[in-house]
Amino acid sequence: NAGVTQTPKFQVLKTGQSMTLQCAQDMNHEYMSWYRQDPGMGLRLIHYSVGAGITDQGEVPNGYNVSRSTTEDFPLRLLSAAPSQTSVYFCASSPGTSNEQYFGPGTRLTVT
Amino acid sequence: GQNIDQPTEMTATEGAIVQINCTYQTSGFNGLFWYQQHAGEAPTFLSYNVLDGLEEKGRFSSFLSRSKGYSYLLLKELQMKDSASYLCVQWGRGGGNKLTFGTGTQLKVEL
């Protein structure tokens, strides 16, 4: 199993550009989520999904969209990048919320 | 982050024992996780407590007191590779079905 994979590993965007961060898992997990990690802030939940076709907002959803058309994939879309979105983004999956979360390697995004 | 309190930094000596404390809001609680995160890497799961008491797993143990909103992670026989950030994570805060992460305790293990 590859586990949780994320692409790209690094990305630089200009303000106003849009892009999609990819996340995939091959463990047949129902629960997937996106976090951002900023210095001194801890990981903050952006969006999550409890199964294909179901998504919900986390703590900091503004400026981000998600979709979950398959169990395996959970892409995160930045609609119009802003410098405040400079962060490290982690995707995670688990069988359910009460289970161990498996994290992807992260995407380091810089918005100039 | 968000009313999960843990020390920012700790330093300990190789071979010693260290205890990392965490307090959280008791309103809405389903479970308490601990994760380890090395610099530049993703968090990895260490432990999960849902009932009061001590859970032991090798060199690492985790304790929970639900009435006090308190947990600790105990690391024994410290090794240099234990230098990392340790994240306290609450499931179900406020009655929701989400995870709330603390900002982490940066542990430095010295010779």
Side-chain angles (χ1 to χ4, degrees), chain B:
Chain B
Q2 302 197 22
N3 303 120
I4 293 181
D5 293 317
Q6 48 181 134
T8 305
E9 294 178 340
M10 298 183 72
T11 301
T13 305
E14 190 179 36
I17 299 173
V18 71
Q19 178 175 313
I20 302 174
N21 296 323
C22 170
T23 57
Y24 61 88
Q25 290 185 350
T26 55
S27 61
F29 177 82
N30 292 334
L32 196 292
F33 295 87
W34 284 94
Y35 282 80
Q36 180 191 59
Q37 187 176 24
H38 285 99
E41 298 182 9
T44 54
F45 170 82
L46 288 178
S47 68
Y48 176 56
N49 293 71
V50 63
L51 299 175
D52 290 351
L54 189 68
E55 294 276 345
E56 297 188 74
K57 191 187 293 186
R59 294 190 299 114
F60 293 6
S61 304
S62 56
F63 172 83
L64 178 69
S65 170
R66 289 173 296 171
S67 62
K68 294 181 180 177
Y70 169 67
S71 174
Y72 68 72
L73 180 70
L74 193 71
L75 292 76
K76 302 176 188 175
E77 301 168 19
L78 280 172
Q79 303 174 9
M80 299 298 288
K81 67 178 182 180
D82 297 330
S83 293
S85 183
Y86 292 86
L87 313 178
C88 178
V89 186
Q90 181 180 0
W91 171 39
R93 180 171 168 271
N97 191 30
K98 303 167 193 174
L99 300 177
T100 303
F101 283 75
T103 54
T105 297
Q106 187 65 45
L107 174 66
K108 182 178 179 183
V109 180
E110 299 178 328
L111 291 172

Side-chain angles (χ1 to χ4, degrees), chain A residues 71-106:
Chain A
T71 299
E72 294 77 20
D73 300 296
F74 191 43
L76 177 73
R77 183 163 180 81
L78 279 71
L79 308 172
S80 177
S84 61
Q85 293 179 305
T86 293
S87 188
V88 180
Y89 291 85
F90 288 104
C91 177
S93 77
S94 67
T97 327
S98 64
N99 304 103
E100 170 187 353
Q101 300 268 314
Y102 294 80
F103 284 85

Side-chain angles (χ1 to χ4, degrees), chain A residues 13-90:
Chain A
L13 291 178
K14 290 186 177 355
T15 297
Q17 287 183 315
S18 64
M19 79 158 294
T20 299
L21 307 186
Q22 301 292 343
C23 175
Q25 52 92 10
D26 60 359
M27 297 173 282
N28 203 32
H29 286 167
E30 291 295 326
Y31 188 92
M32 295 186 75
S33 51
W34 276 102
Y35 295 89
R36 60 177 288 174
Q37 187 173 34
D38 303 293
M41 299 286 292
L43 277 84
R44 290 182 292 168
L45 183 65
I46 304 171
H47 286 284
Y48 67 102
S49 169
V50 299
I54 306 168
T55 63
D56 205 348
Q57 296 181 349
E59 303 169 51
V60 288
N62 292 341
Y64 308 94
N65 274 354
V66 291
S67 59
R68 185 94 180 271
S69 56
T70 66
T71 299
E72 294 77 20
D73 300 296
F74 191 43
L76 177 73
R77 183 163 180 81
L78 279 71
L79 308 172
S80 177
S84 61
Q85 293 179 305
T86 293
S87 188
V88 180
Y89 291 85
F90 288 104

